[in-house]
Amino acid sequence: MIQWELSERLRLRSPARIKFDKTRQTDLLLLPERVVHLNPTAGAILWLCDGERTVSQIIGELETKYNQPELKTDILDFLTQATDRGWVEIWK
């Protein structure tokens, strides 16, 4: 399990990119030779992994957006899974 520093900045790992599919009304994660259909929560988190926002800012923005103050653990769990799958990386 990754021990996240809240000051770390995350971004999608190249060459991955995220796109909103208007036809399906869903976010897609485009990876080499595959496409991942994201649920709304995963899409909301990955859109914020832009290399500019810190983990703390991502958590804060999502807690504000969804008006839920206790999302930290769930977001960190998702970020750990996304990192393990090679979708995101720590940006220095």
Side-chain angles (χ1 to χ4, degrees):
M1 179 101 170
I2 296 172
Q3 295 298 317
W4 291 102
E5 295 292 330
L6 297 180
S7 61
E8 292 175 321
R9 297 181 188 283
L10 301 175
R11 71 173 188 168
L12 292 178
R13 179 170 282 173
S14 183
R17 61 189 180 96
I18 192 168
K19 172 186 169 182
F20 182 74
D21 184 328
K22 291 179 187 175
T23 304
R24 294 179 185 88
Q25 294 293 300
T26 189
D27 290 314
L28 303 174
L29 181 63
L30 307 175
L31 301 162
E33 301 183 19
R34 65 184 162 142
V35 175
V36 178
H37 295 261
L38 301 170
N39 67 37
T41 305
I45 295 169
L46 291 179
W47 276 109
L48 298 177
C49 294
D50 58 5
E52 299 295 322
R53 291 176 178 90
T54 64
V55 172
S56 179
Q57 289 170 321
I58 292 169
I59 293 166
E61 285 187 40
L62 293 169
E63 287 178 341
T64 299
K65 179 178 181 176
Y66 295 106
N67 195 27
Q68 292 185 337
E70 300 296 327
L71 296 178
K72 179 179 175 181
T73 301
D74 293 334
I75 293 169
L76 294 178
D77 287 346
F78 175 80
L79 290 173
T80 297
Q81 292 174 24
T83 300
D84 290 346
R85 292 178 178 155
W87 298 353
V88 298
E89 64 185 353
I90 297 170
W91 180 244
K92 307 234 183 219

